[in-house]
Amino acid sequence: MAALGEDLLGIVNKLQDLVFNTIGSDSLDLPQIVVVGSQSSGKSSVLENIVGRDFLPRGSGIVTRRPLILQLINVPEDESLPNTTHDPYRSPNAARRSEWAEFHHISNRRFTDFADVKREIENETARVAGTNKGIHRQPINLKIYSPHVLNLTLVDLPGLTKVPIGDQPTDIEKQTRNLISEYIAKPNSIILAVSPANVDIVNSEALKLARHVDPLGRRTIGVLTKVDLMDHGTNALDILSGRVYPLKLGFIGAVNRSQQDIQGNKPMDEALQAEAEFFRHHPAYRNIADRCGTQFLAKTLNTTLLAHIRERLPDIKARLNTLMGQTQQELASYGDMHFSGKEHRGSLILQLMTRFATSFMTSIDGTSTEISTKELCGGARIYYIFNSVFGSSLETIDPTSNLSALDIRTAIRNSTGPRPSLFVPEMAFDLLVKPQIKLLEIPSQRCVELVYEELIKICHTCGSTELSRFPRLQAKLIEVVSDLLRERLGPASQYVESLIAIQRAYINTNHPNFLGAAAAMGQVVTTRQEKERKRLIQEERERREKRRLKEMGANGTETPEDDEPTPLVERGEVSGLRKHQSKPLRSMSPSVRENGAGGIAASLNGTRSSSPSRFNNPGVGIARDSFLNYFFGKDGVPHQQPAPGVGARHVSQNSEPSISQSIRHPDEKLPHRPSVIRDDEDGGKASRLGGDGATQFATGGEPALTDREAMETDLIRALISSYFNIVRESIADQVPKAVMHLLVNHCKDVVQNRLVSELYKESLFEELLYEDDGVKQEREKCEGLLQTYREAAKIIGEVL
Ligand code: GDP
Ligand code: MG
């Protein structure tokens, strides 16, 4: 039979098991029971009785020579071993079913015969402490697994000896004393102070040692062994009743198996039976028989342990509550388990779906509780796309940079037909501005795509821990929303396309913000005037410088009288032009406008310019090219006839040599035809030197523009820019609105319905609610843990 009470055994083992496996090994802090006493006082025998198994080497002389740390580990009954063939009730040394021992020093071997355990202890003792009588502080660790033991640690220690024998050192007594003190000093150790009854108690080394570490006798249990060996006529009644030596936990008398019993293999239960008989029939102990013997010792240990556990309970309880709360919280993050039943699958799916849709919507609205502070997300990101990405990409479009002077001139010519235009080539403006509006389409479409991509991203972040439990459902939800978004991408993109097409369909030159021909003219003139003025000043300076040098060469003196005319010319021309320009052209009647502008044009044409430099739009790089023209033209090095080989090569490369040829001739009828027509070679130079202008001039000889053409080109550019800005503003305004309406808001509005109609189908439930294995395991572990905590809490309730 088990020496410790089954009731406590059950409770404490369960509790400790739970606590061991969950809270952490030491939290129950069960006491160690340390057995101390002098040599051969019967320590090992007492220990054996407590465990209920016969496994410790005993005998006269020094047997226990190393500390034995004996861990009793409770295991369930059904964990049986195949090789336990002995009848447990016949053979005391044979292991019972489910009982085995393991040594720390041979961890891979299970001892099922306790006779082997005994032998191994002897061998291991000898291995470290020698075969003679020496002791050693290095402990032997032995674990006994049994369904009949309490999870408890017992420590058997070498006995105290006064006189060194064998190869014991001279200070053997001191060594042993220190060793024992080390073990019993721990506050959670219960000291079993073993004193043999046949030796005077006042000489008890055990009590002496115990008093040292436990002066109030709170955790010391006095055990009086060998009560059967007392001299006839003497008894231990005074000691056992606590009159001789005060101990709170009292003295308990015991009769262990004698050496003879051990050698005769007297079974444990028989020995215990005999002990009980002894006290019951002994005249001195008859009256206190129920407070004597190993049984009572075990009971006292139970009570002590229980008291100890009670002391620890508030702590354990508090810890359990914390753990329970944490676990419950974790479990809640996996979702509501009330929905796990089959009949609830629909509502679970509906609930998860709604949460997903809500999360999607709140992310867009920016009302989500989990807004990142590290990067823009959701709605804010869409806003950023509209304002920063889209807005600035529209801003960077230069509406005329892809139009060469030649393109414009060709457009002007084509639009006027055989006759030269009166003045403002409206048709040409129409013709040219429409393709420019198309430049807005790519950024607009990109805007739609970016928002679409952002929405896709948002729908990927709408999951939760709960949803991650059902990866297939999550994937499906994302899929349906992605489909919805993709579906809306077409209409949104088409709408944006038509926004551009609409703008191209009708060029509203009556738009209040449109510059208008006259104002554009004014702008062009101002710019040109500025340049012309600067040029004239420069020319005059050069002229004067030349003359002065000449005169200096002639008479060595400077003649300042020539300085006068220039400023006059400058002033006169400039102010005259300014007068025209400063007129409020827009307010004029169309005819006046035409005439006025025409007048300006005429006066511009009238101002004699020796330079062909008329390309004044700085954005196109024409000015630089004209600069080259200027030089080549002035030098009179127009290589009209390129080297035959070079020319042939270029002709073959150029698509329309005849066109460029034909373009030159009509110019002749104009009064100031530029004298330079660059040939291929010059084009090559231009491309090397001219940068931007290179491409358009490298096409095999561009005829220089006449003044009028140059001005018309500038005018067209100004008009295009002005009109383009109007359209750009409108597109910048309308595209985000369209995207919001057709893509973002639409998806927000229908997402819930779409999810329900696509996924809320009985036939899909099974598939959708497939639980992710990893999450499932986590959840189940969590559930198990919570269950454990609840049980532990219940056990604690029972103990109290
Ligand atoms: P230890 O050295 O303190 O561990 O003492 P043991 O348990 O080895 O016992 C020493 C010897 O005393 C052994 O031969 C035991 O059989 C014997 N012995 C121990 N307790 C009793 C007892 O209560 N009565 C009798 N008759 N012999 C005992
Ligand atoms: Mg011993």
PDB file of all heavy atoms in Angstrom, residues 460-480:
ATOM      1  N   HIS A 460      -6.116  43.249 -48.816  1.00  0.00           N
ATOM      2  CA  HIS A 460      -5.230  42.219 -48.271  1.00  0.00           C
ATOM      3  C   HIS A 460      -4.918  42.423 -46.792  1.00  0.00           C
ATOM      4  O   HIS A 460      -4.428  41.525 -46.134  1.00  0.00           O
ATOM      5  CB  HIS A 460      -3.920  42.163 -49.062  1.00  0.00           C
ATOM      6  CG  HIS A 460      -4.027  41.293 -50.274  1.00  0.00           C
ATOM      7  ND1 HIS A 460      -4.393  41.793 -51.496  1.00  0.00           N
ATOM      8  CD2 HIS A 460      -3.846  39.966 -50.436  1.00  0.00           C
ATOM      9  CE1 HIS A 460      -4.424  40.803 -52.371  1.00  0.00           C
ATOM     10  NE2 HIS A 460      -4.097  39.687 -51.759  1.00  0.00           N
ATOM     11  N   THR A 461      -5.146  43.630 -46.311  1.00  0.00           N
ATOM     12  CA  THR A 461      -4.824  43.895 -44.905  1.00  0.00           C
ATOM     13  C   THR A 461      -6.061  43.864 -44.023  1.00  0.00           C
ATOM     14  O   THR A 461      -5.996  44.213 -42.861  1.00  0.00           O
ATOM     15  CB  THR A 461      -4.167  45.278 -44.755  1.00  0.00           C
ATOM     16  OG1 THR A 461      -5.078  46.261 -45.275  1.00  0.00           O
ATOM     17  CG2 THR A 461      -2.866  45.374 -45.497  1.00  0.00           C
ATOM     18  N   CYS A 462      -7.170  43.417 -44.599  1.00  0.00           N
ATOM     19  CA  CYS A 462      -8.418  43.466 -43.828  1.00  0.00           C
ATOM     20  C   CYS A 462      -8.627  42.232 -42.944  1.00  0.00           C
ATOM     21  O   CYS A 462      -9.676  42.112 -42.308  1.00  0.00           O
ATOM     22  CB  CYS A 462      -9.608  43.634 -44.753  1.00  0.00           C
ATOM     23  SG  CYS A 462      -9.697  45.292 -45.405  1.00  0.00           S
ATOM     24  N   GLY A 463      -7.692  41.327 -42.947  1.00  0.00           N
ATOM     25  CA  GLY A 463      -7.866  40.106 -42.151  1.00  0.00           C
ATOM     26  C   GLY A 463      -7.690  40.367 -40.658  1.00  0.00           C
ATOM     27  O   GLY A 463      -7.342  41.450 -40.241  1.00  0.00           O
ATOM     28  N   SER A 464      -7.964  39.347 -39.878  1.00  0.00           N
ATOM     29  CA  SER A 464      -7.772  39.443 -38.431  1.00  0.00           C
ATOM     30  C   SER A 464      -7.266  38.078 -37.972  1.00  0.00           C
ATOM     31  O   SER A 464      -7.219  37.141 -38.754  1.00  0.00           O
ATOM     32  CB  SER A 464      -9.099  39.757 -37.758  1.00  0.00           C
ATOM     33  OG  SER A 464     -10.047  38.788 -38.135  1.00  0.00           O
ATOM     34  N   THR A 465      -6.882  38.009 -36.708  1.00  0.00           N
ATOM     35  CA  THR A 465      -6.448  36.715 -36.180  1.00  0.00           C
ATOM     36  C   THR A 465      -7.568  35.696 -36.367  1.00  0.00           C
ATOM     37  O   THR A 465      -7.352  34.550 -36.734  1.00  0.00           O
ATOM     38  CB  THR A 465      -6.152  36.815 -34.677  1.00  0.00           C
ATOM     39  OG1 THR A 465      -5.538  38.058 -34.425  1.00  0.00           O
ATOM     40  CG2 THR A 465      -5.292  35.666 -34.215  1.00  0.00           C
ATOM     41  N   GLU A 466      -8.753  36.185 -36.090  1.00  0.00           N
ATOM     42  CA  GLU A 466      -9.908  35.315 -36.190  1.00  0.00           C
ATOM     43  C   GLU A 466     -10.042  34.770 -37.607  1.00  0.00           C
ATOM     44  O   GLU A 466     -10.294  33.584 -37.815  1.00  0.00           O
ATOM     45  CB  GLU A 466     -11.140  36.137 -35.818  1.00  0.00           C
ATOM     46  CG  GLU A 466     -12.380  35.317 -35.725  1.00  0.00           C
ATOM     47  CD  GLU A 466     -13.577  36.175 -35.355  1.00  0.00           C
ATOM     48  OE1 GLU A 466     -13.427  37.389 -35.168  1.00  0.00           O
ATOM     49  OE2 GLU A 466     -14.661  35.596 -35.253  1.00  0.00           O
ATOM     50  N   LEU A 467      -9.835  35.665 -38.568  1.00  0.00           N
ATOM     51  CA  LEU A 467      -9.991  35.246 -39.953  1.00  0.00           C
ATOM     52  C   LEU A 467      -8.840  34.342 -40.378  1.00  0.00           C
ATOM     53  O   LEU A 467      -9.030  33.438 -41.188  1.00  0.00           O
ATOM     54  CB  LEU A 467     -10.068  36.489 -40.842  1.00  0.00           C
ATOM     55  CG  LEU A 467     -10.541  36.263 -42.270  1.00  0.00           C
ATOM     56  CD1 LEU A 467     -11.886  35.566 -42.292  1.00  0.00           C
ATOM     57  CD2 LEU A 467     -10.616  37.581 -43.014  1.00  0.00           C
ATOM     58  N   SER A 468      -7.672  34.575 -39.811  1.00  0.00           N
ATOM     59  CA  SER A 468      -6.537  33.743 -40.206  1.00  0.00           C
ATOM     60  C   SER A 468      -6.740  32.297 -39.775  1.00  0.00           C
ATOM     61  O   SER A 468      -6.024  31.404 -40.208  1.00  0.00           O
ATOM     62  CB  SER A 468      -5.237  34.309 -39.622  1.00  0.00           C
ATOM     63  OG  SER A 468      -5.261  34.224 -38.227  1.00  0.00           O
ATOM     64  N   ARG A 469      -7.701  32.093 -38.931  1.00  0.00           N
ATOM     65  CA  ARG A 469      -8.070  30.725 -38.554  1.00  0.00           C
ATOM     66  C   ARG A 469      -8.622  29.980 -39.757  1.00  0.00           C
ATOM     67  O   ARG A 469      -8.509  28.771 -39.858  1.00  0.00           O
ATOM     68  CB  ARG A 469      -9.167  30.813 -37.489  1.00  0.00           C
ATOM     69  CG  ARG A 469      -8.947  29.998 -36.278  1.00  0.00           C
ATOM     70  CD  ARG A 469     -10.110  30.207 -35.342  1.00  0.00           C
ATOM     71  NE  ARG A 469     -11.056  29.135 -35.449  1.00  0.00           N
ATOM     72  CZ  ARG A 469     -12.323  29.231 -35.019  1.00  0.00           C
ATOM     73  NH1 ARG A 469     -12.765  30.346 -34.503  1.00  0.00           N
ATOM     74  NH2 ARG A 469     -13.126  28.197 -35.136  1.00  0.00           N
ATOM     75  N   PHE A 470      -9.254  30.751 -40.645  1.00  0.00           N
ATOM     76  CA  PHE A 470      -9.892  30.136 -41.815  1.00  0.00           C
ATOM     77  C   PHE A 470      -9.246  30.669 -43.089  1.00  0.00           C
ATOM     78  O   PHE A 470      -9.783  31.560 -43.749  1.00  0.00           O
ATOM     79  CB  PHE A 470     -11.386  30.437 -41.817  1.00  0.00           C
ATOM     80  CG  PHE A 470     -12.076  30.080 -40.535  1.00  0.00           C
ATOM     81  CD1 PHE A 470     -12.514  31.061 -39.673  1.00  0.00           C
ATOM     82  CD2 PHE A 470     -12.265  28.754 -40.186  1.00  0.00           C
ATOM     83  CE1 PHE A 470     -13.142  30.739 -38.483  1.00  0.00           C
ATOM     84  CE2 PHE A 470     -12.885  28.420 -38.995  1.00  0.00           C
ATOM     85  CZ  PHE A 470     -13.324  29.409 -38.139  1.00  0.00           C
ATOM     86  N   PRO A 471      -8.078  30.121 -43.415  1.00  0.00           N
ATOM     87  CA  PRO A 471      -7.326  30.695 -44.540  1.00  0.00           C
ATOM     88  C   PRO A 471      -8.092  30.653 -45.854  1.00  0.00           C
ATOM     89  O   PRO A 471      -7.941  31.529 -46.687  1.00  0.00           O
ATOM     90  CB  PRO A 471      -6.070  29.832 -44.605  1.00  0.00           C
ATOM     91  CG  PRO A 471      -6.384  28.604 -43.840  1.00  0.00           C
ATOM     92  CD  PRO A 471      -7.416  28.959 -42.840  1.00  0.00           C
ATOM     93  N   ARG A 472      -8.915  29.620 -46.024  1.00  0.00           N
ATOM     94  CA  ARG A 472      -9.636  29.529 -47.293  1.00  0.00           C
ATOM     95  C   ARG A 472     -10.704  30.603 -47.401  1.00  0.00           C
ATOM     96  O   ARG A 472     -10.910  31.187 -48.457  1.00  0.00           O
ATOM     97  CB  ARG A 472     -10.248  28.142 -47.452  1.00  0.00           C
ATOM     98  CG  ARG A 472      -9.171  27.111 -47.691  1.00  0.00           C
ATOM     99  CD  ARG A 472      -9.705  25.738 -47.919  1.00  0.00           C
ATOM    100  NE  ARG A 472      -8.590  24.788 -47.881  1.00  0.00           N
ATOM    101  CZ  ARG A 472      -8.729  23.484 -47.813  1.00  0.00           C
ATOM    102  NH1 ARG A 472      -9.934  22.954 -47.772  1.00  0.00           N
ATOM    103  NH2 ARG A 472      -7.671  22.701 -47.778  1.00  0.00           N
ATOM    104  N   LEU A 473     -11.354  30.851 -46.287  1.00  0.00           N
ATOM    105  CA  LEU A 473     -12.360  31.915 -46.270  1.00  0.00           C
ATOM    106  C   LEU A 473     -11.686  33.259 -46.534  1.00  0.00           C
ATOM    107  O   LEU A 473     -12.159  34.060 -47.335  1.00  0.00           O
ATOM    108  CB  LEU A 473     -13.086  31.936 -44.908  1.00  0.00           C
ATOM    109  CG  LEU A 473     -14.095  33.062 -44.713  1.00  0.00           C
ATOM    110  CD1 LEU A 473     -15.233  32.976 -45.718  1.00  0.00           C
ATOM    111  CD2 LEU A 473     -14.664  33.039 -43.297  1.00  0.00           C
ATOM    112  N   GLN A 474     -10.563  33.437 -45.880  1.00  0.00           N
ATOM    113  CA  GLN A 474      -9.838  34.696 -46.063  1.00  0.00           C
ATOM    114  C   GLN A 474      -9.441  34.886 -47.524  1.00  0.00           C
ATOM    115  O   GLN A 474      -9.654  35.949 -48.101  1.00  0.00           O
ATOM    116  CB  GLN A 474      -8.589  34.709 -45.177  1.00  0.00           C
ATOM    117  CG  GLN A 474      -7.868  36.028 -45.226  1.00  0.00           C
ATOM    118  CD  GLN A 474      -6.764  36.125 -44.185  1.00  0.00           C
ATOM    119  OE1 GLN A 474      -6.222  35.110 -43.762  1.00  0.00           O
ATOM    120  NE2 GLN A 474      -6.456  37.321 -43.754  1.00  0.00           N
ATOM    121  N   ALA A 475      -8.907  33.824 -48.112  1.00  0.00           N
ATOM    122  CA  ALA A 475      -8.500  33.906 -49.509  1.00  0.00           C
ATOM    123  C   ALA A 475      -9.702  34.210 -50.393  1.00  0.00           C
ATOM    124  O   ALA A 475      -9.618  34.999 -51.337  1.00  0.00           O
ATOM    125  CB  ALA A 475      -7.848  32.600 -49.939  1.00  0.00           C
ATOM    126  N   LYS A 476     -10.809  33.571 -50.075  1.00  0.00           N
ATOM    127  CA  LYS A 476     -12.025  33.778 -50.869  1.00  0.00           C
ATOM    128  C   LYS A 476     -12.518  35.222 -50.746  1.00  0.00           C
ATOM    129  O   LYS A 476     -12.919  35.831 -51.737  1.00  0.00           O
ATOM    130  CB  LYS A 476     -13.129  32.832 -50.389  1.00  0.00           C
ATOM    131  CG  LYS A 476     -13.344  31.571 -51.244  1.00  0.00           C
ATOM    132  CD  LYS A 476     -13.614  31.885 -52.653  1.00  0.00           C
ATOM    133  CE  LYS A 476     -14.154  30.753 -53.484  1.00  0.00           C
ATOM    134  NZ  LYS A 476     -13.361  30.570 -54.672  1.00  0.00           N
ATOM    135  N   LEU A 477     -12.484  35.739 -49.539  1.00  0.00           N
ATOM    136  CA  LEU A 477     -12.938  37.114 -49.319  1.00  0.00           C
ATOM    137  C   LEU A 477     -12.089  38.073 -50.136  1.00  0.00           C
ATOM    138  O   LEU A 477     -12.597  38.956 -50.824  1.00  0.00           O
ATOM    139  CB  LEU A 477     -12.848  37.475 -47.831  1.00  0.00           C
ATOM    140  CG  LEU A 477     -13.845  36.792 -46.892  1.00  0.00           C
ATOM    141  CD1 LEU A 477     -13.490  37.065 -45.441  1.00  0.00           C
ATOM    142  CD2 LEU A 477     -15.263  37.260 -47.167  1.00  0.00           C
ATOM    143  N   ILE A 478     -10.781  37.850 -50.076  1.00  0.00           N
ATOM    144  CA  ILE A 478      -9.873  38.706 -50.834  1.00  0.00           C
ATOM    145  C   ILE A 478     -10.146  38.567 -52.329  1.00  0.00           C
ATOM    146  O   ILE A 478     -10.185  39.546 -53.069  1.00  0.00           O
ATOM    147  CB  ILE A 478      -8.403  38.365 -50.497  1.00  0.00           C
ATOM    148  CG1 ILE A 478      -8.099  38.779 -49.059  1.00  0.00           C
ATOM    149  CG2 ILE A 478      -7.447  39.045 -51.461  1.00  0.00           C
ATOM    150  CD1 ILE A 478      -6.767  38.313 -48.530  1.00  0.00           C
ATOM    151  N   GLU A 479     -10.397  37.327 -52.735  1.00  0.00           N
ATOM    152  CA  GLU A 479     -10.631  37.071 -54.149  1.00  0.00           C
ATOM    153  C   GLU A 479     -11.879  37.807 -54.639  1.00  0.00           C
ATOM    154  O   GLU A 479     -11.863  38.459 -55.685  1.00  0.00           O
ATOM    155  CB  GLU A 479     -10.788  35.562 -54.356  1.00  0.00           C
ATOM    156  CG  GLU A 479     -10.782  35.125 -55.797  1.00  0.00           C
ATOM    157  CD  GLU A 479     -11.116  33.654 -55.920  1.00  0.00           C
ATOM    158  OE1 GLU A 479     -10.476  32.845 -55.229  1.00  0.00           O
ATOM    159  OE2 GLU A 479     -12.050  33.326 -56.668  1.00  0.00           O
ATOM    160  N   VAL A 480     -12.951  37.708 -53.845  1.00  0.00           N
ATOM    161  CA  VAL A 480     -14.204  38.340 -54.267  1.00  0.00           C
ATOM    162  C   VAL A 480     -14.037  39.852 -54.342  1.00  0.00           C
ATOM    163  O   VAL A 480     -14.466  40.492 -55.303  1.00  0.00           O
ATOM    164  CB  VAL A 480     -15.356  37.947 -53.313  1.00  0.00           C
ATOM    165  CG1 VAL A 480     -16.593  38.780 -53.602  1.00  0.00           C
ATOM    166  CG2 VAL A 480     -15.666  36.470 -53.441  1.00  0.00           C
TER     167      VAL A 480
END
